[in-house]
Amino acid sequence: MGGFPERLAAVLEQRRKEGLFRHRLTLESSQGPVVCVNGRQYLNFCSNDYLGLAAHPRVVERFRSAAAQYGVGSGASHLVCGHSAPHHQLEEALAEFTGRARALLFSSGYMANAGILSSLLQRGDSVFEDRLNHASLLDGGLHSGARFQRFPHNDVSALEVKLESAQGPKMVVVDGVFSMDGDTAPLAALADLCTDHNAWLMVDDAHGFGVLGERGVGSTEAAGLEVSCVPVLMATLGKALGTAGAFVAGSELLIEGLIQQSRNYIYTTALPPAVAAASLEALSLVREEPWRREHLARLIARFRVGAQQLGLPLMTSASAIQPLLVGDAALAVDLSNRLREEGFLIGAIRPPTVPTGTSRLRITLSAAHSEEHVDQLLEQLAVCWPVS
Ligand SMILES: *Cc1c(COP(=O)(O)O)cnc(C)c1O
């Protein structure tokens, strides 16, 4: 019957009807607490630039000088001739920082997750994922060939029941910090469970890396986990580090195995070397400037106290991701639009990104914000909130 145009048109129509149609903003400035869209300035509360490094002068300068030396494009995949000195230094720095034997760069977090899961897992294995895991982990697990099972969010006992009856090599996969909820996985309990059941634990720390733990190593440091408890540690560079790309850190065996067989690693052009150099600079800032994490933690506390006083529907998050639960998708969009008219950028997150009936405003805080920015946000939320 109908071909592709009819099918696409039907999808768009359905999305419009359900209040799920998505629009892109076009920024005319760098990331920062204030961004420019259509010639107008907005206070930005939807970026994942948690430490304010995406436009940091040192990071930008390192990018510029590396581009002068290495050019813009990497020219090839890592295994052909695209692997350059900045890539190699960054891998060594990330391995050292995370306390692992080795680290391996991927072009994006999405590619890393899909690539790690599809090369480690095969038919006959079992993979268990938290149902609120990032889409890239769920897609990777689904397409891996292994028996794929979701477990209820952060429900260690439900996972235990599933592990007890599982066949073959087992892998448990979670976000360290859940991207749309901001809460953290119970990593210590998960690590114990995995040890008991001889399962491998993989943690995607896209939102914890650089932000959590005393040194900024992330969720695993904050949970006090030994390196051996998390054989597969993955994180992205596009969030707290403010650059782009992703990495996986682990044993010599894991990394060499991925280099040899991960199709997502092998068959794609390496990141620009200048991005790797800029990431090295950002990593130095993470190490040298713990005040960024401390300031961010104060802003999070300030926002939560203020939101509580206003009776806003906070979720149980201690991270820089502070969603306000709205429920209805159209209502969430309406709120986001009203806030935008007042000069605040806050994304409405709707299905299919989150379960139906749990649409929300996803507020993110950054070390680049000031206390005044947070107070301004709270004042505006107080005005906009009574929704109906
Ligand atoms: C952003 C994100 C990714 C994807 O990383 P990209 O580099 O943006 O492709 C993967 N996992 C989680 C939890 C994320 O938040």
Side-chain angles (χ1 to χ4, degrees), residues 48 107-111 113 134 136-137 175 177 179 204-207 234 236-239 244-246 362:
N48 299 319
S107 301
S108 76
Y110 193 101
M111 299 253 293
N113 283 337
H134 190 264
S136 55
L137 291 173
D175 283 17
V177 175
S179 49
D204 171 345
D205 210 17
H207 300 278
M234 173 273 179
T236 67
L237 307 173
K239 283 150 188 161
R362 180 177 181 269

Side-chain angles (χ1 to χ4, degrees), residues 3-352:
F4 297 114
E6 291 80 2
R7 196 190 298 168
L8 288 169
V11 168
L12 299 189
E13 176 59 26
Q14 182 73 13
R15 289 260 161 134
R16 282 203 181 86
K17 265 210 312 249
E18 292 174 355
L20 299 180
F21 204 82
R22 297 165 180 226
H23 298 274
R24 299 172 305 173
L25 295 174
T26 305
L27 268 69
E28 293 144 6
S29 64
S30 64
Q31 289 295 326
V34 180
V35 292
C36 185
V37 180
N38 252 332
R40 181 175 172 191
Q41 314 262 68
Y42 293 87
L43 273 182
N44 179 13
F45 287 101
C46 52
S47 169
N48 299 319
D49 181 23
Y50 300 124
L51 296 179
L53 300 180
H56 191 286
R58 266 175 59 183
V59 179
V60 173
E61 182 45 42
R62 184 77 172 263
F63 181 88
R64 205 193 301 275
S65 66
Q69 186 175 353
Y70 292 93
V72 173
S74 65
S77 63
H78 283 279
L79 290 181
V80 177
C81 63
H83 187 68
S84 61
H87 294 123
H88 207 73
Q89 282 167 25
L90 178 60
E91 288 182 344
E92 288 179 345
L94 289 167
E96 200 237 274
F97 186 61
T98 58
R100 266 72 182 170
R102 285 184 74 183
L104 185 69
L105 291 177
F106 279 82
S107 301
S108 76
Y110 193 101
M111 299 253 293
N113 283 337
I116 294 162
L117 291 169
S118 60
S119 51
L120 289 182
L121 293 163
Q122 59 185 44
R123 207 167 293 285
D125 300 349
S126 295
V127 59
F128 302 88
E129 298 207 21
D130 189 292
R131 64 185 287 270
L132 296 190
N133 272 359
H134 190 264
S136 55
L137 291 173
L138 296 170
D139 291 356
L142 269 169
H143 300 149
S144 66
R147 180 144 188 265
F148 174 79
Q149 296 188 59
R150 283 172 231 243
F151 57 90
H153 181 48
N154 280 350
D155 190 338
V156 180
S157 333
L159 173 61
E160 182 165 23
V161 172
K162 287 179 185 289
L163 277 170
E164 267 156 14
S165 60
Q167 304 293 313
K170 300 177 274 287
M171 180 127 97
V172 172
V173 185
V174 293
D175 283 17
V177 175
F178 288 87
S179 49
M180 297 300 139
D181 292 59
D183 59 343
T184 48
L187 288 182
L190 288 169
D192 286 346
L193 191 64
C194 285
T195 306
D196 290 349
H197 290 83
N198 193 26
W200 257 24
L201 179 59
M202 168 173 173
V203 176
D204 171 345
D205 210 17
H207 300 278
F209 183 66
V211 180
L212 296 180
E214 194 156 315
R215 296 188 305 124
V217 178
S219 304
T220 55
E221 186 194 13
L225 291 189
E226 303 277 333
V227 166
S228 61
C229 294
V230 184
V232 188
L233 175 65
M234 173 273 179
T236 67
L237 307 173
K239 283 150 188 161
L241 258 63
T243 58
F247 70 92
V248 55
S251 66
E252 177 69 34
L253 194 63
L254 171 74
I255 300 305
E256 206 50 51
L258 290 173
I259 293 175
Q260 301 305 319
Q261 55 173 359
S262 173
R263 297 170 68 85
N264 294 28
Y265 180 76
I266 298 168
Y267 297 110
T268 196
T269 301
L271 279 174
V275 170
S279 305
L280 271 165
E281 196 65 32
L283 187 61
S284 301
L285 284 159
V286 167
R287 291 172 192 256
E288 291 165 26
E289 301 191 350
W291 68 262
R292 290 176 188 276
R293 289 189 287 285
E294 291 154 15
H295 176 61
L296 178 59
R298 279 195 300 274
L299 295 180
I300 294 165
R302 189 179 186 90
F303 176 76
R304 286 190 67 85
V305 168
Q308 223 145 24
Q309 284 167 356
L310 293 171
L312 297 174
L314 283 168
M315 294 176 64
T316 52
S317 162
S319 73
I321 303 164
Q322 289 293 329
L324 296 175
L325 194 61
V326 178
D328 182 64
L331 216 51
V333 173
D334 186 47
L335 261 169
S336 168
N337 288 341
R338 274 197 277 157
L339 286 159
R340 187 171 312 163
E341 279 161 28
E342 300 301 328
F344 293 80
L345 276 192
I346 300 171
I349 307 290
R350 295 163 278 168

